[in-house]
Amino acid sequence: MIFLLFMIIKKLLRKILIADLPEESLGHNVLCHQWQNAADIWNNQNNGKSDSIGVERILKLVLILSQFFFLGIYFRAIFGKYGKLHKHLGVELHVVLKLISSITILYFGIYNSTTSIYGVHIIKFWCYWMIFETLFYTGNLVFSEEVFAKPYSNKRNLILIVIDYITLNLDFANLYLIKRAIHQSLHRDTIEIVSNAYDAVYFSFISSLTIGYGDITPTHEGRSLVVFQSITMLVFGVLFLNFYLSRANDSIGSRK
């Protein structure tokens, strides 16, 4: 009975997510392919497309090798064993799980946890790790696009990038709460540290949009985090626009 239910759910999910599209073999191991991509950039073996020098060359190598330190590539590797469509689904699952992780930390107040390993605050480390993963992966798509396959759909990429934007803001909201980095004036002479998720999320989103109403402000120690968020969102926005517009132009050019 349980097995039958499992098969029905599996078939239903496949119908919802993939419809009746045929699955194609990926043709390579994702992790090995990533190493080969790094080697191609190192040796300039992409028909001149990767002939970069100086800072750009160093940045390309850092970005493409950094993927081995984040979870995204391992999702692609696991799902990629079942074909190209499953690899794309693996990417989507990873993006959605990052969002769920950030929401869970906020909703259940896990940001209040003081658990640490070797002096490293676990939740704080996780938030920073997720932020850098999103930035490095987006940067990788822009600076090393010659070694990546064309996206399945530009509209799909737009959806994923919006989810990433929301997740980034939620991660920063968690950091503001963990570091007790923002406060608000309750009365004329009373200032209180913000400790609830709603206010932190509100402050994070308006900060990412460079809007400041003055009702919630960073503490002296929190100013560096606000600066970091501003730079992060600026870089993320520039990278996304560069990536999406270049792919959109390629798509328009291919139709002519």
Side-chain angles (χ1 to χ4, degrees):
M1 182 64 182
I2 296 178
F3 177 76
L4 179 60
L5 181 61
F6 172 77
M7 294 303 296
I8 293 174
I9 294 175
K10 181 180 178 181
K11 187 175 181 179
L12 180 62
L13 284 175
R14 178 177 176 82
K15 185 67 176 179
I16 292 173
L17 297 174
I18 304 178
D20 297 318
L21 295 174
E23 183 61 272
E24 298 179 47
S25 173
L26 192 59
H28 61 259
N29 178 281
V30 172
L31 297 179
C32 292
H33 189 61
Q34 186 78 351
W35 278 114
Q36 185 59 53
N37 288 339
D40 288 344
I41 292 176
W42 177 261
N43 296 311
N44 292 327
Q45 292 179 347
N46 279 286
N47 299 320
K49 294 180 180 179
S50 60
D51 291 343
S52 54
I53 63 172
V55 175
E56 181 187 355
R57 178 172 171 78
I58 294 173
L59 183 59
K60 276 187 175 183
L61 291 169
V62 170
L63 288 173
I64 202 164
L65 291 174
S66 69
Q67 299 308 298
F68 290 101
F69 296 95
F70 300 116
L71 296 175
I73 191 172
Y74 300 103
F75 272 80
R76 300 201 303 274
I78 293 171
F79 282 80
K81 294 179 180 179
Y82 303 99
K84 291 182 179 180
L85 291 178
H86 279 78
K87 188 192 78 168
H88 292 309
L89 291 178
V91 172
E92 294 182 5
L93 176 63
H94 177 239
V95 171
V96 171
L97 286 178
K98 286 197 298 181
L99 176 62
I100 293 174
S101 167
S102 300
I103 293 174
T104 301
I105 293 172
L106 282 167
Y107 184 79
F108 292 102
I110 302 175
Y111 51 80
N112 289 316
S113 171
T114 58
T115 305
S116 62
I117 298 179
Y118 297 111
V120 178
H121 190 285
I122 299 301
I123 305 302
K124 185 192 298 184
F125 173 81
W126 176 259
C127 292
Y128 275 118
W129 193 32
M130 290 296 97
I131 289 170
F132 280 111
E133 177 178 30
T134 301
L135 273 183
F136 277 45
Y137 181 72
T138 308
N140 207 30
L141 292 177
V142 173
F143 287 96
S144 303
E145 61 179 344
E146 69 274 1
V147 299
F148 287 97
K150 291 183 178 180
Y152 188 80
S153 164
N154 287 320
K155 293 178 181 178
R156 170 182 172 273
N157 280 347
L158 179 60
I159 294 171
L160 295 181
I161 213 75
V162 169
I163 295 175
D164 272 335
Y165 171 77
I166 295 172
T167 304
L168 280 173
N169 278 290
L170 296 182
D171 285 332
F172 275 105
N174 279 314
L175 288 174
Y176 286 124
L177 291 168
I178 292 169
K179 302 180 75 170
R180 299 173 64 81
I182 50 178
H183 55 201
Q184 59 184 335
S185 299
L186 299 180
H187 304 289
R188 180 176 298 179
D189 299 320
T190 305
I191 296 178
E192 182 181 83
I193 294 293
V194 171
S195 59
N196 68 84
Y198 179 82
D199 287 339
V201 171
Y202 159 76
F203 178 80
S204 181
F205 273 94
I206 64 171
S207 295
S208 72
L209 296 172
T210 65
I211 301 172
Y213 294 115
D215 50 344
I216 299 178
T217 56
T219 62
H220 181 74
E221 295 78 9
R223 292 175 182 174
S224 58
L225 185 55
V226 173
V227 172
F228 177 52
Q229 182 180 9
S230 300
I231 294 173
T232 298
M233 291 305 180
L234 175 62
V235 172
F236 180 75
V238 170
L239 290 175
F240 164 65
L241 287 175
N242 185 302
F243 171 73
Y244 187 74
L245 291 178
S246 66
R247 297 296 176 123
N249 289 335
D250 290 343
S251 177
I252 293 172
S254 65
R255 297 173 186 172
K256 292 182 178 179

